[in-house]
Amino acid sequence: MQELLELISERVANAFEAAGYDRKLGRVTVSNRPDLCEYQCNGAMAGAKTYHKAPFMIADEIADRLSGDEMFASVESVKPGFLNIRISGDFLADYANQMAADQERLGLEKERNPRSIIIDYGGPNVAKPLHVGHLRSAIIGEAVKRIARFAGNQVLGDIHLGDWGLQMGLIITELRERKPDLVYFDADYQGAYPEEAPFTISELEEIYPCASGKSKEDEGYHAAAMQATNELQQGRRGYQALLEHILRVSVSDLKKNYEKLSVSFDLWMGESDAQPYIPAMVEKMKRDGFAYLSEGALVVDVAEESDTKEMPPCMILKSDGSALYNTTDLATLVMREERYQPDEIIYVVDKRQELHFTQCFRVARKTKIVPPETGLVFLGFGTMNGRDGKPFKTRDGGVMRLENLLADVNAKMLEKILEGGHMQKEEAGRTAEIVGLAALKYGDLSNQASKDYVFDLDRFTSAEGNTGPYILYTIVRIKSILKRYEEENSLEGLRVLPPASPSEKDLMQLAARFGDNFRTAYEELAPHKLCAYIYELSNAFNRFYHETKILSEEDEEKKSSWIALLSLTKRILEKSIDLLGFAAPERM
């Protein structure tokens, strides 16, 4: 099925073309004055100068041509040259029925030319617990991945672990101080290393901050960590074996924590996976004349004439020959191109890293690491702040662990559910986890990704207003109505009839615009636009619900039509929240 706005625009464009005008003038948008009309077209205003004709005269012509068209209830020419459009109830009902007939996709067409896309999101460091700073990348990246995949593309989500660099050297150095007799520290050892890790995840999470603190105060300790890092990068067997243990223990724990967020990754690759690609990449940059020495470091110029501010060279190797984030990110691009040949790579990262990625993208294009047609997209997100407007912290000023944040949200939801008195504690606990995750994810995703937002636990967990619980409450309300209807009737074969009231037509129209709103969210990498849509759809349903006695309606044909519309609305809401990464309980 074509999207609703596309269909309407096509019909209006045909009228412009038939009247001798450019069909591009027929673009239709949702009206910003719903009190006057449902859709509007301003093409006559845009075409007046080109065709040397008053815009209202052009609008009059088009309105005349569209009069009597079964798609429209009315097309009105309004001075100075607007076209105000109202859609036909019969056409709308037919469109809704076509959507309902498509069980899997609700009428949404797949991409005609699907692309291969890699989404780089998550980015946690191994040996460290997830904290609130990891939340936005995980939530936004997961939604973008699901949306792009539902559009029909081949999508891989890559966590891109931070598993290289000084942090590894710090862990190795601290472990050597604590357990110097471990075989990993014997440079002459040639045998197989133990399969069991010499530490638990709890020990590992304590080792790193301890080592980091020592490194800041003790120059000798810092030097030892740098040396361990260098030896690891040069391939020392014992340290490579320790790295494998660190990765195995950390990844197992990370998977459990991401699962609680309903976030999953197709690829669990890290910076260490890119290391084998660095030597050849660097040599090629030198050989092709792109990389040169500057104050001992190897750099590539990335400044362009169009730059409005200074763009420093991109450092590829430090003066001691060691790699940087730039190096591993570029080598990761080499690896991705070799293994997957993606059409596009989307990076969901903190917007404060924009300079870093601008440099890397320019180097990648300049040195032909990626083909010119490969899309490299930076989707930068803002920070999650506390009520004081500063980055979210614990009460004692520390960075909050993600599992503690989830626990706080779930506890708040449980408290609210138990206050209602409708559930036993066990069911309330399960429901609180489902609704709590929706509160957290929707609270984040309903904001434009690039903007900072304030984490407000009371507001996010409220069942009123633009919140996740409100969306779920709407779905649960519809489920309850459908369940009661099914006690005596079947949901099979029901059809939506033309709307009989303004609130019914509003609901039907918003349901019919699912494809348009999905398309916008997909093309603009903007999950917040899908959130805005389902909030508007939920509001439309609740208005209709409060104005209509659905189950007590005596006209069975009218009642069954309403049930068909509710069933479609529920499926749209459920599909949308699944794309956003959360689900609805059976009751609340």
Side-chain angles (χ1 to χ4, degrees):
M1 291 175 65
Q2 282 180 278
E3 280 121 39
L4 185 62
L5 276 173
E6 187 181 10
L7 271 174
I8 299 171
S9 292
E10 188 176 276
R11 196 71 59 94
V12 177
N14 289 343
F16 270 95
E17 189 173 49
Y21 304 109
D22 188 338
R23 65 180 293 107
K24 290 179 183 176
L25 298 174
R27 180 175 173 269
V28 172
T29 59
V30 175
S31 173
N32 55 18
R33 286 289 305 276
D35 55 319
L36 298 178
C37 59
E38 296 159 353
Y39 302 91
Q40 62 189 63
C41 175
N42 302 336
M45 302 287 287
K49 188 175 181 180
T50 304
Y51 295 101
H52 307 292
K53 191 179 286 190
F56 76 86
M57 294 176 67
I58 299 175
D60 284 348
E61 284 184 73
I62 305 306
D64 285 343
R65 285 184 175 274
L66 292 172
S67 65
D69 191 308
E70 78 283 354
M71 179 182 281
F72 306 113
S74 65
V75 180
E76 185 181 10
S77 171
V78 179
K79 288 186 176 180
F82 301 113
L83 284 170
N84 287 356
I85 301 168
R86 290 190 182 277
I87 204 86
S88 152
D90 289 304
F91 172 81
L92 201 54
D94 183 59
Y95 192 89
N97 285 318
Q98 288 183 61
M99 286 181 68
D102 186 349
Q103 292 294 323
E104 185 184 347
R105 301 189 58 79
L106 296 163
L108 188 77
E109 285 189 0
K110 285 189 176 183
E111 282 277 76
R112 293 183 180 91
N113 298 300
R115 293 172 298 151
S116 167
I117 302 172
I118 293 176
I119 304 181
D120 183 317
Y121 69 109
N125 289 313
V126 299
K128 293 184 188 177
L130 291 176
H131 57 74
V132 292
H134 296 113
L135 184 70
R136 297 214 72 192
S137 180
I139 288 177
I140 297 167
E142 182 71 16
V144 169
K145 180 189 76 178
R146 292 180 183 213
I147 289 169
R149 192 171 280 166
F150 188 64
N153 300 293
Q154 296 176 315
V155 186
L156 293 174
D158 187 357
I159 191 169
H160 195 66
L161 295 163
D163 61 357
W164 204 244
L166 182 59
Q167 65 175 17
M168 296 297 108
L170 286 167
I171 294 168
I172 291 169
T173 301
E174 182 60 23
L175 197 60
R176 187 169 55 202
E177 284 207 352
R178 298 184 182 193
K179 301 178 180 181
D181 295 331
L182 288 175
V183 68
Y184 307 95
F185 304 116
D186 181 354
D188 298 323
Y189 182 74
Q190 295 298 317
Y193 291 102
E195 291 186 12
E196 189 76 21
F199 42 71
T200 63
I201 185 63
S202 298
E203 290 171 329
L204 195 56
E205 289 179 355
E206 184 272 326
I207 285 172
Y208 176 74
C210 174
S212 181
K214 286 184 181 180
S215 177
K216 291 169 185 173
E217 297 174 0
D218 184 338
E219 288 186 13
Y221 190 97
H222 179 77
M226 293 287 286
Q227 177 64 24
T229 302
N230 186 264
E231 290 181 17
L232 169 67
Q233 294 185 357
Q234 297 304 316
R236 180 166 168 173
R237 284 184 69 245
Y239 292 179
Q240 292 278 343
L242 278 176
L243 176 63
E244 288 181 21
H245 285 314
I246 293 168
L247 287 174
R248 196 177 307 119
V249 170
S250 287
V251 166
S252 175
D253 186 65
L254 284 169
K255 285 182 176 179
K256 291 175 189 172
N257 281 288
Y258 277 117
E259 191 175 327
K260 291 176 185 174
L261 274 177
S262 288
V263 170
S264 63
F265 299 92
D266 306 288
L267 303 175
W268 285 79
M269 310 290 277
E271 294 171 302
S272 61
D273 292 291
Q275 298 311 304
Y277 295 85
I278 290 177
M281 178 187 78
V282 170
E283 282 307 308
K284 186 175 187 304
M285 287 181 182
K286 289 179 182 177
R287 188 170 64 249
D288 293 347
F290 295 116
Y292 66 94
L293 290 175
S294 174
E295 298 180 14
L298 191 70
V299 302
V300 173
D301 287 328
V302 292
E304 296 177 355
E305 286 184 13
S306 58
D307 291 334
T308 56
K309 54 186 177 182
E310 184 181 357
M311 179 63 65
C314 181
M315 192 183 297
I316 306 300
L317 294 176
K318 294 181 184 177
S319 56
D320 64 0
S322 56
L324 306 92
Y325 284 125
N326 298 337
T327 327
T328 53
D329 276 340
L330 287 165
T332 299
L333 276 173
V334 174
M335 177 178 68
R336 286 170 175 164
E337 182 59 32
E338 181 178 297
R339 295 186 183 185
Y340 307 107
Q341 300 87 48
D343 298 308
E344 183 173 72
I345 305 173
I346 302 168
Y347 292 82
V348 184
V349 288
D350 191 310
K351 67 181 180 183
R352 290 170 292 190
Q353 295 189 47
E354 185 169 10
L355 174 61
H356 163 77
F357 281 98
T358 298
Q359 288 182 313
C360 286
F361 291 174
R362 288 186 181 184
V363 171
R365 296 207 182 283
K366 189 173 184 176
T367 62
K368 296 182 172 54
I369 286 174
V370 297
E373 63 274 13
T374 301
L376 298 174
V377 180
F378 175 79
L379 179 54
F381 55 80
T383 56
M384 183 178 97
N385 296 328
R387 290 184 180 179
D388 59 359
K390 297 177 182 177
F392 191 84
K393 301 282 185 183
T394 58
R395 288 179 182 174
D396 60 5
V399 178
M400 180 177 277
R401 289 177 70 134
L402 198 48
E403 60 184 321
N404 293 341
L405 179 70
L406 273 171
D408 285 352
V409 174
N410 291 346
K412 189 71 174 178
M413 282 311 318
L414 179 59
E415 178 188 318
K416 292 190 174 190
I417 291 170
L418 290 174
E419 280 175 4
H422 303 302
M423 287 187 189
Q424 297 298 317
K425 194 164 184 179
E426 186 178 345
E427 184 187 2
R430 292 194 302 269
T431 303
E433 289 184 7
I434 296 170
V435 183
L437 183 61
L440 185 64
K441 284 195 163 188
Y442 189 89
D444 186 300
L445 291 170
S446 57
N447 297 278
Q448 186 173 335
S450 61
K451 293 184 177 177
D452 301 345
Y453 75 92
V454 173
F455 177 80
D456 186 332
L457 184 58
D458 289 330
R459 184 171 70 81
F460 284 9
T461 55
S462 173
E464 297 177 358
N466 189 10
T467 68
Y470 172 72
I471 304 298
L472 299 194
Y473 184 75
T474 301
I475 295 171
V476 168
R477 174 175 274 172
I478 297 174
K479 282 182 177 181
S480 174
I481 296 170
L482 296 179
K483 188 175 181 182
R484 285 159 62 196
Y485 180 84
E486 272 192 297
E487 289 172 0
E488 297 180 6
N489 306 274
S490 171
L491 292 176
E492 296 297 319
L494 301 183
R495 289 187 62 78
V496 177
L497 299 177
S501 69
S503 64
E504 184 181 359
K505 190 175 187 186
D506 285 347
L507 177 57
M508 206 178 291
Q509 290 220 71
L510 276 162
R513 288 184 206 147
F514 168 65
D516 296 297
N517 284 277
F518 170 83
R519 183 70 51 190
T520 300
Y522 161 59
E523 291 178 351
E524 297 181 14
L525 303 179
H528 72 282
K529 296 203 169 179
L530 191 56
C531 290
Y533 166 67
I534 59 174
Y535 177 55
E536 196 178 0
L537 180 61
S538 296
N539 283 339
F541 162 74
N542 284 307
R543 281 193 298 272
F544 172 67
Y545 170 79
H546 287 300
E547 291 179 13
T548 313
K549 290 181 169 49
I550 299 169
L551 292 174
S552 60
E553 172 60 48
E554 293 182 0
D555 184 328
E556 288 299 326
E557 190 176 47
K558 190 181 287 186
K559 185 200 291 187
S560 67
S561 170
W562 290 343
I563 293 296
L565 178 57
L566 263 61
S567 181
L568 175 61
T569 302
K570 178 183 79 79
R571 287 169 56 203
I572 292 168
L573 288 171
E574 287 180 328
K575 171 52 68 179
S576 297
I577 65 172
D578 179 62
L579 294 173
L580 294 170
F582 55 94
E586 285 306 306
R587 67 191 196 112
M588 285 172 70

